[in-house]
């Protein structure tokens, strides 16, 4: 009996260790996500089939980059992916990045499981506020559509959608909907990246006093260069 109890205690301790990564591990994951987000944006920006019109990026109020968005199932499935959000500042520069995820249900044509990367352009300040405050849901609060690319006949200024979405997975938006998907900020990753307990999305995206523990200047430069 004693041996059995000891085995359970050890198992619980090991499980807790797996469930609670160290701050160093969390910071490494955050830096990796930042690097991957930059790569995703640069690759989408460089591809003629997905290139974002510079004037559209210039007038966007925020950019959300989601990496390794997984989805599966047929007709009804699930999706999830991690990434970062940056908000346009008054002087035209971009804010510090806030780590977040896109998750939830989905309804659309999902023929088998696949993974993709997304760049999402938020078109107005009201939508930015909804995402920061939480609870914004595609289909209920947010509308999104595939954005026009450079060389397209579509006029980006004519779009009434809250969010324009770009992907480097060909054909991702052929009938696929985001209904039921929501954004949520990664509290643990944001805290370790900014070395501040209880740091909020508002402080990261709308404030000017935070200094990230690891530089995000390369991603911000990539966004500016694409404009």
């Amino acid at each position: 009996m004693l041996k059995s109890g000891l085995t359970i205690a050890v198992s619980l301790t090991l499980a807790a260790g797996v469930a609670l990564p160290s701050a160093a591990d969390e910071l490494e994951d955050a830096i990796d996500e930042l690097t991957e987000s930059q790569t995703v944006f640069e690759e989408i920006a460089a591809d003629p089939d997905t290139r974002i019109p510079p004037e559209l990026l210039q007038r966007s109020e925020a950019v959300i980059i989601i990496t390794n968005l997984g989805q599966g199932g047929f007709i009804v499935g699930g999706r999830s992916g991690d990434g970062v959000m940056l908000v346009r500042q008054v002087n035209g520069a971009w804010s510090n990045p806030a780590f977040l995820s896109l998750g939830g249900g989905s309804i659309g044509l999902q023929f088998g499981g696949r993974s993709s990367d997304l760049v999402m352009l938020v078109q107005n300040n009201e939508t930015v506020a909804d995402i920061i405050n939480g609870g914004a849901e595609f289909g209920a609060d947010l509308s999104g559509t595939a954005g026009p690319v450079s060389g397209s006949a579509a006029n980006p200024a004519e779009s009434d959608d809250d969010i324009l979405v770009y992907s480097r997975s060909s054909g991702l938006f052929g009938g696929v909907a985001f209904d039921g998907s929501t954004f949520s900020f990664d509290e643990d990753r944001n805290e370790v990246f900014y070395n501040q307990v209880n740091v909020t999305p508002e402080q990261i995206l709308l404030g000017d006093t935070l200094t990230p523990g690891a530089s995000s200047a390369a991603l911000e430069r990539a966004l500016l260069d694409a404009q």
Side-chain angles (χ1 to χ4, degrees), residues 94-114:
W94 293 98
S95 71
N96 285 324
F99 294 91
L100 80 174
S101 62
L102 175 68
S106 61
I107 301 174
L109 299 180
Q110 300 178 51
F111 295 100
R114 49 186 164 175

Side-chain angles (χ1 to χ4, degrees), residues 18-105:
V18 172
L20 299 173
S22 68
D25 291 339
E26 196 74 58
L27 179 58
E28 183 178 357
D29 288 344
I31 295 172
D32 288 345
E33 180 60 55
L34 197 62
T35 301
E36 188 171 3
S37 295
Q38 178 185 343
T39 299
V40 165
F41 179 82
E42 290 177 334
E43 290 182 355
I44 288 178
D47 188 337
D49 293 330
T50 58
R51 187 175 297 138
I52 302 168
E55 65 272 20
L56 182 55
L57 185 59
Q58 289 171 9
R59 62 186 286 269
S60 296
E61 298 297 340
V63 173
I64 298 171
I65 304 170
I66 300 294
T67 63
N68 296 317
L69 175 69
Q71 61 181 39
F74 176 75
I75 304 301
V76 178
R79 67 183 73 234
S80 63
D82 297 324
V84 295
M85 177 178 182
L86 297 91
V87 171
R88 176 82 65 184
Q89 305 297 285
V90 175
N91 63 1
W94 293 98
S95 71
N96 285 324
F99 294 91
L100 80 174
S101 62
L102 175 68

